[in-house]
Each structure stands twice: as structure tokens, then as C-alpha cells.
Amino acid sequence: MGFQTDAVHAGQKPDSGTGAIMTPIFQTSTYVQEEIGKHKGYEYSRTQNPTRHAMEKNIATLEKGKYGIAFSSGLAAISSIIQLLEQGDHVICTNNVYGGTFRVFDTVFKKFGVLFTYTDTSVKKNIEEAITPKTKLIFVETPTNPMLTLTSIEDLVSVAKAKKIMTVVDNTFMSPYFQNPLQFGVDLVVHSSTKYINGHSDVVGGIAVTNDDQIAQKLYFLQNAVGAVPGPMDCFLVLRATKTLALRMREHEKNANALAAFLQNHNRIKRIYYPGLSSHPQHELAKKQMSGYGAIISIDLGSLENAKKFAESLKIFALAESLGGVESLVEHPAIMTHASVPKEIRESLGITDGLIRLSVGVEDEADLVNDVIQALEKI
Ligand code: P1T
């Protein structure tokens, strides 16, 4: 089936009791058993929930995967993936990842003896050189948050497969609509479904998707054993939202393209990062592995003072953490989303005090461009 047909239907069928076309919100913690051990496949809602199952199947289908394993946040999904490892195992991670991802790796899992090497995974040789006999997992964000750097998924898979190392791609920025890493042979895709997948800024959630039976079984085990599961109401909202994912992504991207085209020639902007611009150093790679460029644009305004003035002068773009919702957001990575990354590392990555990240929403294109024009004039 096509993406939109799957988005509307996959994982869902009319309720057998009533014919209700929408999957009910099974707001229950437990399920009555006929006899001890005789039940309908549902025992307890940490372990199984029908609304969650429908959502997991739906997103797995959109991501071209067999199994979807949902969690209560993107970080809960990422943490459960790291819990597949043992003490002493080594992870290679893209040097620029969401600040919270770096924080949980660096402060929580390191404490339990998992070793992390951060490197610029956009260079194949860097991945090859970081591999040790203990390397069990390579975690890549592509495009990265907030620098929009790409890693070649093909290169990643070719290096990792040769050494039997598990590959994980955080696909949050692209959503399953613009990029499907499993189709390149990646083992696991992870999303913060808080972002484009839900898209309405009213749910925090995460999901891992895989085609690998063994990895799936281990993650379902962890989902139940550790227990970072999403509630049924949140699953219902996400399931409702994926029905319009394709429509939203097209609109997000149209607006982002227009805004990037305008911003790239503006004299107040020192540097712009958007994979859809031909000036982006990896524009050709973007065309190859993504079917669109998404709607996150980062701009360097040269100083903290300029960044503050700009962000605080915007009227439609709201000053807030997060991204991927229908409403446009602006944020300052160094002080907000990436504050937990040490300053010298941030600066080496390009996350300067002048850097601003825009999450372009689905409002009218002209209104967004005009909002940015008036805010740039305040600098
Ligand atoms: O917020 P949560 O649902 O736990 O997802 C974490 C996460 C994982 N991966 C990426 C690429 C992310 O961007 C995020 C969360 N990011 C933000 C909140 C942000 O404003 O960048």
C-alpha cells in the first residue's frame, strides 16, 4: 500500500463489538481472566494494551518495519535500546546528537560501564577508526539536531555489517515520510514521536522499529521489564495524528523551503544550515537517502545578543523547546536543548551562542516569512 493508505489504515480495524471506526482508548490497567492463565492475549497494560498495539503496528508499517515497540518518550526508547547492551560494551555515537541523548549516555549509562565514543559519523573513516573489539552498537542521528549534518546510511551499514555491529538511526527529524533507514539495512530506527509523528505538541512519546525478530523480542521484553510505556490516551492521540503525517510533512517542507530560500541571502545571517539548500555540503547525499528535506532550519546570527533579539522579536514562531508540531517554534540550542553538552564541545560542533533553530510549522508561508523579516530587522 501507499504511505497515506497505510497511515490511515495500518494496524487498525473497526471495533469488533460496536463497529467503531476509530480504535478505542483502552483506558484500563488490567484484563479479567476467564480462568487462571486463560485470557484473551491481554493480562496487564504495562505488558499489552490494544490501543498501544494499534499505534505500534501503524508506525512500524510507515517505517517499513515489522515490529514497533513504543515507549513513554523518545529518551525512554533510546534508553531501552542501550539496555540491550552489557557492561563493558562500546557504543559509537554521532558527535552532534540531541542534548538529552548525550546526557543519558554520558551521565547514566556510562555509570553502568557502557563505553561511548563520539565522532563525526558523516565521515566513513571516522566510524571505521572508532571501532574496537568491544563495539556493539553505532548510534547515528541523521540529520543531526541542531546542525543538520547527515551521515550516509549506506556507508554506516556497510561498515557495521562487516563487523556484525548493530546500527541505530534516530530518524526523528525526517519522520517515516521522508526517510526509511530500515530499507538501507539499518537494524533499528528510533523516533521521538513527540515530534513530527504526533505533530500536535500534545504528547511525549517514543518508538523503536525493527525488522529483526531477535532485537524485537528483546525490546518487547525490556518494554515490559523496565516499564517505560506510553498510556492508552497518548497512543490514541498519536494514532490519530499519523493519519495526517504525509499531509503535514508536505506542508512543513514547502514552508521550510520558502523560508530557507529567503534566509540564505539575508545579510544579517552569518550561516544557514538546511539540507534542502544546494549550498548545504551534503545536499547530494540528502537527495539520495531522503525523499524530502524536512522543516528544521538552523541559522547563526553571530552573537548571543543577536540571537536573543531575533528569537524574542518573533511573533508567530513561539519560543519553546521541541520541534515538529504544526505550530512554528524557535529555540536557542546552546541555552535550551543542548545546554547539557559542554561548551567547548558545543562550539566545536557549531552550536555557538549565536545559533538559533527554527521548527517551521504549517501556518501560511507568507506569514512565516514576514515574521522572520520583521524579527531580523530588530537585530
Ligand atoms: O523528548 P523526547 O520525546 O524524550 O525525545 C528525545 C529526542 C530524541 N531524539 C531527537 C532527535 C530529539 O530531537 C529528541 C528531543 N528533542 C527536543 C526536545 C528538542 O527540542 O530538540
Side-chain angles (χ1 to χ4, degrees), residues 73-76 78 98 101 141 145 170 172-173 192-195 204-205 321-323 331 337-338 357:
S73 69
L75 278 179
I78 291 168
Y98 167 56
T101 304
E141 215 177 85
N145 178 1
D170 184 332
T172 299
F173 268 36
S192 165
S193 46
T194 317
K195 310 299 180 313
V204 172
E321 298 201 11
S322 201
L323 58 102
E331 71 107 11
T337 52
H338 291 70
R357 188 188 75 192

Side-chain angles (χ1 to χ4, degrees), residues 252-267:
H252 276 294
E253 195 193 34
K254 176 185 77 61
N255 284 349
N257 273 320
L259 201 57
F262 164 77
L263 289 169
Q264 72 173 333
N265 299 317
H266 200 286
N267 61 10

Side-chain angles (χ1 to χ4, degrees), residues 146-148 173 196 252-253 255-264 269 271-277 293-300 317 329-331 333 355-360 372:
M147 301 312 298
L148 286 312
F173 268 36
Y196 290 108
H252 276 294
E253 195 193 34
N255 284 349
N257 273 320
L259 201 57
F262 164 77
L263 289 169
Q264 72 173 333
I269 289 169
R271 221 174 140 185
I272 177 163
Y273 305 88
Y274 181 63
L277 291 173
Y293 305 110
I296 306 297
I297 303 172
S298 291
I299 50 176
D300 197 326
F317 283 81
L329 298 182
V330 57
E331 71 107 11
L355 193 79
I356 283 288
R357 188 188 75 192
L358 298 168
S359 171
V360 184
V372 168

Side-chain angles (χ1 to χ4, degrees), residues 5-59:
T5 308
D6 281 337
V8 174
H9 295 288
Q12 297 153 90
K13 51 181 185 313
D15 178 52
S16 59
T18 61
I21 194 157
M22 289 301 293
T23 303
I25 308 162
F26 284 91
Q27 194 75 43
T28 186
S29 59
T30 193
Y31 308 84
V32 177
Q33 307 198 1
E34 277 170 54
E35 296 168 18
I36 294 175
K38 188 171 175 202
H39 53 78
K40 298 179 167 61
Y42 294 95
E43 295 151 281
Y44 186 65
S45 271
R46 173 167 26 78
T47 325
Q48 313 103 344
N49 180 279
T51 319
R52 188 174 91 208
H53 282 167
M55 182 199 73
E56 288 174 332
K57 186 69 201 162
N58 181 263
I59 298 171

Side-chain angles (χ1 to χ4, degrees), residues 221-237:
F221 173 83
L222 286 167
Q223 183 191 40
N224 180 49
V226 179
V229 291
M233 179 69 190
D234 284 358
C235 294
F236 170 82
L237 287 170

Side-chain angles (χ1 to χ4, degrees), residues 65-80:
K66 250 165 57 184
Y67 306 102
I69 307 100
F71 296 91
S72 53
S73 69
L75 278 179
I78 291 168
S79 297
S80 296

